[in-house]
Amino acid sequence: KAGVTQTPRYLIKTRGQQVTLSCSPISGHRSVSWYQQTPGQGLQFLFEYFSETQRNKGNFPGRFSGRQFSNSRSEMNVSTLELGDSALYLCASSSFLGSSETQYFGPGTRLLVL
Amino acid sequence: AQSVTQLGSHVSVSEGALVLLRCNYSSSVPPYLFWYVQYPNQGLQLLLKYTSAATLVKGINGFEAEFKKSETSFHLTKPSAHMSDAAEYFCAVSGGSGNTGKLIFGQGTTLQVKP
């Protein structure tokens, strides 16, 4: 099976712009989660989706949003970009929603905000 | 609330030496624990996970971890380090309230392997 894919892999934006990142989960997986990775804050949970519904949300401002489509693909959007949004954004998929489920990660999208 | 602490942001070992990466967790519910590895410019790869079936968990690439409830620890070990083991390692916990897959990660430990 193909792994989790994320597009684009690299992105450069300027402050104030918005950005949309895409994630295609492993075939058959129905749950998708997003994480932000920065040198200072480490890996932080953004949100998770299952069956097109957001099931859980991390402690991020409302500028961060996401959605999941009927084919389980997911997108996340960041509006009004700030310098501090520069990070590696990781998507992970799992078969179902649950604490014991293994999450498989994609290669990430590296976002640089200038 | 759940949390994970990884002791030592940097660990350096010689090739062929024992690898020990430390992880302590805090959880009010029975935890599910994971170790992931991240190579430069890549995502996270699962090494192993603990789901209460056995306290000693064997993973890929010769790694294993032992769950010790009394010490709230889940340390990662490998008997003999290889140069290809150089990477960043993350311990994570899930199992908070509600049916969620949310992972809480430690700050990571960078493993350096010297020839």
Side-chain angles (χ1 to χ4, degrees):
Chain A
K1 277 185 181 178
V4 177
T5 58
Q6 293 187 245
T7 56
R9 290 292 311 277
Y10 303 93
L11 208 49
I12 300 176
K13 292 286 187 180
T14 57
R15 279 180 300 172
Q17 287 187 310
Q18 76 165 15
V19 66
T20 299
L21 312 181
S22 181
C23 171
S24 293
I26 292 171
S27 178
H29 284 193
R30 295 171 59 192
S31 180
V32 172
S33 298
W34 289 88
Y35 295 83
Q36 181 196 64
Q37 184 177 23
T38 60
Q41 299 299 316
L43 281 154
Q44 294 186 285
F45 171 79
L46 280 158
F47 23 65
E48 69 182 337
Y49 289 87
F50 181 75
S51 293
E52 302 178 65
T53 302
Q54 187 179 93
R55 304 292 178 158
N56 201 355
K57 189 178 191 309
N59 189 25
F60 279 82
R63 301 185 296 108
F64 291 81
S65 63
R67 58 179 175 168
Q68 186 181 33
F69 302 95
S70 59
N71 61 358
S72 295
R73 191 177 69 84
S74 177
E75 288 181 347
M76 67 162 281
N77 183 276
V78 187
S79 63
T80 319
L81 284 166
E82 301 178 359
L83 296 179
D85 297 333
S86 294
L88 181 66
Y89 290 88
L90 293 163
C91 167
S93 76
S94 58
S95 298
F96 298 100
L97 184 69
S99 305
S100 65
E101 292 291 320
T102 297
Q103 294 190 33
Y104 297 90
F105 284 79
T109 294
R110 187 165 296 280
L111 172 65
L112 177 61
V113 182
L114 301 176
Chain B
Q2 295 179 307
S3 65
V4 173
T5 301
Q6 291 182 240
L7 298 175
S9 59
H10 260 87
V11 170
S12 181
V13 301
S14 297
E15 191 174 20
L18 171 72
V19 175
L20 171 61
L21 304 182
R22 300 178 187 273
C23 172
N24 288 89
Y25 70 91
S26 172
S27 179
S28 58
V29 298
Y32 297 101
L33 294 160
F34 304 79
W35 274 100
Y36 284 89
V37 62
Q38 186 176 35
Y39 297 100
N41 299 314
Q42 294 188 27
L44 304 178
Q45 180 183 8
L46 179 73
L47 283 174
L48 50 81
K49 74 174 186 180
Y50 167 77
T51 58
S52 78
T55 56
L56 183 62
V57 183
K58 294 189 184 297
I60 63 171
N61 301 339
F63 285 95
E64 63 180 37
E66 186 173 9
F67 174 73
K68 292 186 177 181
K69 184 177 179 180
S70 61
E71 299 177 8
T72 60
S73 69
F74 190 57
H75 301 330
L76 182 71
T77 60
K78 182 174 180 178
S80 177
H82 192 273
M83 297 296 292
S84 61
D85 295 326
E88 190 162 19
Y89 293 78
F90 293 93
C91 181
V93 64
S94 72
S97 60
N99 187 27
T100 173
K102 172 184 175 181
L103 290 172
I104 296 171
F105 287 90
Q107 285 298 309
T109 298
T110 299
L111 175 66
Q112 179 187 25
V113 182
K114 298 175 292 186

